[in-house]
Amino acid sequence: MASEFNKSTHIRYFLRCLKTFLPTAYTSNDSQRMTLAFFVLCGVDLLGALDTNITADERAAYVDWIYRCQHPHGGFRGFTGSNLGEERTTDNEYWDPANIAATYFALASLAILGDDLTRVNRVPCLSWLKRLQLSDGTFGEALGREGEADGGRDMRFCYCAVVIRWILAGEMRDEEDIDVDGLVRFIEASQTYEGGFANGPFHEAHAGWTYCAIAALSILGKLPVPVKRRRPVQLWPSHESVERMLGWLVNLQTSLLQEEDLSMSDTTQAVAQLDIDNAAQQTPVEATQVMSPDDPLTDGVGAEPFYDELQWAGLAGRCNKVADTCYTFWAGGSLSILDSIHLLDQQALRRYLLEKTQHRIGGFGKLPGDAPGKDLLSTFMDNLGSH
């Protein structure tokens, strides 16, 4: 199969999601309409098809719908269904909260649609954002019954908060601002011994959390090294944390594409046992012989199976996991911020996306063979990664 990006089919896929009905799998996600709207709008815009496929009236209607989700006390709801309107009271208002993810997606969608943001309740939104920050520097998802930050300690919410602040802050007094130093301390404490970032201190590193951490630090101007775009890569050997981060991200690229690849087949087990038996029969000198770089790759019985497998190499979210299409963005985006995307085998990654997960009806599946009907996120992320 040729490694071709089927742009027209992807445009049709996104436009179906924008102008008709979403796939059945999204029925239970009605309260997440703002998130889904962002994926679709940004996907169409990324493909250069937004201006030519929506009318001025449609654009205005999308903008108006987003503003109908704006909360009177700051932030945005995930959909209009929780808006209590005139029935809202102090006793029931906690059932109608703004949440930090919806606010991020709402502001980003308004920007994509070319809105000037003059209808955003800027001061109440920033005040609400400040109230969401927790004592450890992280952010809650929404305000609870007593007005306290509820949920959270999630690196994704930290990233959302930083972007919301960046979009709306303008001229702001220190007492109105979030605790930037506390947030940065939390992010830095979440870097693991491997180099990636976890959802919090002492947790497992994950590509999604790593992107959110790196992107947040970059927007805040707090990366441990200055990042200048389009310059030749440097490994910054004087900054051990960055060097470890780069090594961990690059090692997420893998040719393991299916879950069954993680378990040893009968043939693989037989080959492994043969290697063990042969090693036991070698003399000490033979057993310590080093393979020359010019020697061909083999599986121990004279065959050369690895070259075909290495044609496709996706990115995993964690160590020892199979490739998953969305991590093309999470891991690839992290490397891009660090001006190190070329450290990946980009040809093998592109072939994985276009030959293994791209679907004939448009969109991308999460894993090879998956349909895109239930995965707007993967399709959106893969379109970003393919570009």
Side-chain angles (χ1 to χ4, degrees):
M1 183 186 299
S3 300
E4 295 182 358
F5 180 70
N6 299 325
K7 180 178 178 179
S8 60
T9 61
H10 296 307
I11 291 173
R12 287 196 297 271
Y13 171 80
F14 277 123
L15 289 176
R16 282 196 301 272
C17 293
L18 179 64
K19 297 193 176 190
T20 62
F21 296 104
L22 288 173
T24 303
Y26 285 104
T27 302
S28 61
N29 295 106
D30 198 45
S31 63
Q32 305 298 321
R33 281 177 178 253
M34 191 67 74
T35 302
L36 303 179
F38 168 78
F39 289 154
V40 174
L41 287 170
C42 194
V44 177
D45 187 48
L46 180 67
L47 294 168
L50 188 64
D51 292 338
T52 56
N53 285 280
I54 67 170
T55 66
D57 288 343
E58 287 173 328
R59 185 186 296 266
Y62 300 151
V63 169
D64 287 342
W65 179 83
I66 293 172
Y67 277 114
R68 287 203 301 275
C69 293
Q70 187 169 208
H71 195 279
H73 297 163
F76 286 77
R77 308 172 177 88
F79 75 140
T80 55
S82 64
N83 188 348
L84 298 174
E86 295 179 356
E87 302 298 320
R88 181 186 181 89
T89 68
T90 55
D91 293 328
N92 65 20
E93 63 182 0
Y94 64 89
W95 292 109
D96 177 26
N99 75 74
I100 196 167
T103 302
Y104 163 79
F105 288 124
L107 293 174
S109 296
L110 288 171
I112 290 168
L113 291 166
D115 184 68
D116 60 9
L117 305 183
T118 55
R119 285 191 277 170
V120 175
N121 297 327
R122 174 183 164 276
V123 173
C125 188
L126 289 171
S127 176
W128 165 81
L129 183 66
K130 183 177 175 65
R131 292 173 65 193
L132 284 177
Q133 190 165 24
L134 301 168
S135 59
D136 63 358
T138 59
F139 286 81
E141 180 180 7
L143 295 180
R145 187 187 294 261
E146 302 299 327
E148 77 288 353
D150 200 7
R153 289 185 172 83
D154 189 314
M155 195 67 74
R156 293 170 298 182
F157 296 158
C158 295
Y159 167 72
C160 288
V162 168
V163 176
I164 293 167
R165 173 184 181 270
W166 179 77
I167 293 173
L168 296 181
E171 295 295 328
M172 186 192 310
R173 297 191 302 271
D174 289 344
E175 62 269 21
E176 298 173 326
D177 201 1
I178 63 173
D179 179 6
V180 172
D181 291 339
L183 173 58
V184 171
R185 283 194 297 271
F186 173 82
I187 294 174
E188 291 177 343
S190 301
Q191 188 173 21
T192 73
Y193 71 94
E194 300 166 293
F197 285 85
N199 201 27
F202 310 113
H203 290 213
E204 182 182 12
H206 185 282
W209 313 140
T210 298
Y211 173 85
C212 291
I214 293 173
L217 291 174
S218 177
I219 293 169
L220 292 170
K222 300 291 186 177
L223 276 176
V225 292
V227 174
K228 298 179 181 178
R229 297 191 180 280
R230 301 183 181 88
R231 63 172 172 77
V233 69
Q234 299 177 24
L235 289 181
W236 307 298
S238 61
H239 292 275
E240 181 185 352
S241 63
V242 178
E243 190 173 358
R244 285 189 292 120
M245 189 192 314
L246 290 173
W248 181 80
L249 285 166
V250 170
N251 280 311
L252 292 177
Q253 189 162 26
T254 177
S255 60
L256 295 174
L257 308 184
Q258 300 281 8
E259 290 290 347
E260 52 265 29
D261 293 339
L262 292 173
S263 59
M264 296 179 69
S265 65
D266 292 341
T267 302
T268 307
Q269 292 183 49
V271 169
Q273 186 59 51
L274 180 60
D275 288 342
I276 293 172
D277 294 342
N278 288 339
Q281 297 173 11
Q282 291 175 340
T283 65
V285 174
E286 292 172 329
T288 57
Q289 287 178 342
V290 178
M291 187 176 183
S292 166
D294 297 325
D295 291 341
L297 290 172
T298 70
D299 64 0
V301 291
E304 299 182 8
F306 299 114
Y307 295 114
D308 282 343
E309 295 177 8
L310 294 177
Q311 292 182 71
W312 304 280
L315 285 157
R318 292 176 287 160
C319 295
N320 300 315
K321 296 292 184 179
V322 299
D324 182 322
T325 52
C326 72
Y327 295 113
T328 302
F329 172 78
W330 295 122
S334 299
L335 286 166
S336 182
I337 293 172
L338 297 169
D339 290 323
S340 302
I341 191 67
H342 73 279
L343 296 177
L344 295 176
D345 185 339
Q346 295 180 65
Q347 182 178 359
L349 178 57
R350 184 175 178 83
R351 291 194 64 176
Y352 162 72
L353 292 174
L354 301 184
E355 298 178 11
K356 296 293 187 179
T357 66
Q358 182 175 227
H359 201 277
R360 68 181 64 184
I361 68 168
F364 290 79
K366 176 181 173 69
L367 300 171
D370 286 357
K374 60 180 180 180
D375 214 336
L376 270 172
L377 181 143
S378 288
T379 295
F380 167 68
M381 296 296 186
D382 290 349
N383 273 283
L384 286 174
S386 297
H387 283 67

